[in-house]
Amino acid sequence: MSEHKKIWHLSKIHLFSAMSQADMEHMERITQMESTAKYQPIYLPGDPATSVYLLKKGRVRISSLSEEGKQVIHSILGPGNIFGELSLVDDDGEHDSMAEALEDTLLCIIHKKDFEAFLESHPQLNLKITKLMGLRLKQVTSRVQDLVFKTAEQRLESVLQYLSHEHGESTPDGKLISLPLTHQDIGELTNLARPTVSDLLKRLQEQGKIRMQKRRIVWLKSAG
């Protein structure tokens, strides 16, 4: 991949949008571009946490296994996002979650030692990374609270709102969730059985909160 194209990809990462050309060129030198095919793992639980990943193309699912052996989805990330950043807080750590490509992906990968050195000389970026880690911890805490205190229907509505915000495409009557999610995927996001998800989606459609469009879900404006 040419240097110009690689820098262009790096410039599309949200956290790097305000970088100078010199900083971007430095970042280009310490990253490597890799592709991951659809449904292939990027890392697995127990793998050494030695890198930070920048997602340029495709979508990535971050998940873990519950004590009962069920897959629990933490988040679904789209282009411009960073993940694996928790490796920065543990010198000899291992991943406790799995990152999997939901689509063919293009990644910029930075060894955490190189990224740490870069952050030391860029305090504003360091602050952004710290805020990002705090936000993701808050999101996980919120997800756990949802599972404990919300009804099944409320959990599903909360997840659909999140997906419409993070992966929604504007339509005249709402946000089309652009992810190719199955009812099983939604169940793993909400800790609900697949048949329950199917029944609740039907109920939300009858209530005028969602509309099914070519196997995609539109979160309607009338739902809030």
Side-chain angles (χ1 to χ4, degrees):
M1 179 174 294
S2 69
E3 177 179 332
H4 174 75
K5 188 173 182 181
K6 188 176 181 183
I7 290 177
W8 182 87
H9 282 303
L10 288 167
S11 72
K12 302 304 177 183
I13 302 300
H14 302 323
L15 289 172
F16 300 161
S17 57
M19 270 191 190
S20 68
Q21 180 67 18
D23 285 340
M24 198 64 69
E25 290 173 356
H26 183 184
M27 183 62 68
E28 186 275 333
R29 290 192 293 270
I30 64 175
T31 60
Q32 64 182 67
M33 303 290 284
E34 289 189 6
S35 58
T36 302
K38 183 177 181 180
Y39 298 139
Q40 292 301 304
I42 297 165
Y43 56 74
L44 296 169
D47 286 350
T50 58
S51 299
V52 176
Y53 301 83
L54 314 174
L55 179 57
K56 175 55 195 90
K57 175 186 175 184
R59 300 187 194 274
V60 169
R61 175 169 59 194
I62 309 296
S63 64
S64 62
L65 291 178
S66 69
E67 293 182 357
E68 296 79 23
K70 294 182 179 180
Q71 186 175 23
V72 178
I73 298 176
H74 298 182
S75 60
I76 297 174
L77 305 176
N81 276 287
I82 182 171
F83 62 99
E85 75 284 350
L86 291 180
S87 67
L88 299 172
V89 300
D90 192 344
D91 289 338
D92 300 304
E94 298 178 343
H95 288 292
D96 59 4
S97 60
M98 176 174 73
E100 178 187 16
L102 287 179
E103 304 167 353
D104 291 342
T105 65
L106 182 62
L107 301 167
C108 297
I109 303 176
I110 313 175
H111 192 279
K112 74 174 184 178
K113 296 298 184 184
D114 293 329
F115 198 45
E116 286 170 342
F118 189 83
L119 292 178
E120 286 180 4
S121 58
H122 295 80
Q124 289 300 317
L125 180 59
N126 201 342
L127 179 60
K128 288 182 180 180
I129 294 292
T130 301
K131 287 183 176 180
L132 174 66
M133 289 190 286
L135 174 62
R136 290 194 171 158
L137 178 59
K138 183 178 179 180
Q139 289 173 336
V140 170
T141 301
S142 177
R143 183 69 55 79
V144 171
Q145 290 175 339
D146 283 355
L147 295 177
V148 173
F149 297 110
K150 288 187 175 181
T151 65
E153 187 168 342
Q154 288 171 334
R155 296 205 303 269
L156 179 57
E157 288 191 41
S158 179
V159 163
L160 293 179
Q161 281 185 308
Y162 159 76
L163 293 174
S164 69
H165 177 73
E166 294 293 324
H167 304 281
E169 298 176 359
S170 293
T171 70
D173 55 353
K175 289 288 188 73
L176 172 66
I177 299 171
S178 59
L179 296 174
L181 294 173
T182 65
H183 290 191
Q184 182 66 35
D185 292 329
I186 296 173
E188 290 167 357
L189 277 163
T190 55
N191 197 30
L192 297 172
R194 186 191 60 75
T196 302
V197 170
S198 300
D199 290 343
L200 289 176
L201 286 174
K202 183 178 179 181
R203 184 185 305 175
L204 291 177
Q205 186 162 324
E206 291 171 348
Q207 293 171 352
K209 294 182 178 180
I210 66 171
R211 174 168 54 80
M212 305 305 294
Q213 179 175 311
K214 296 181 180 179
R215 301 183 68 182
R216 296 287 195 274
I217 299 171
V218 178
W219 179 255
L220 299 174
K221 292 178 181 178
S222 58

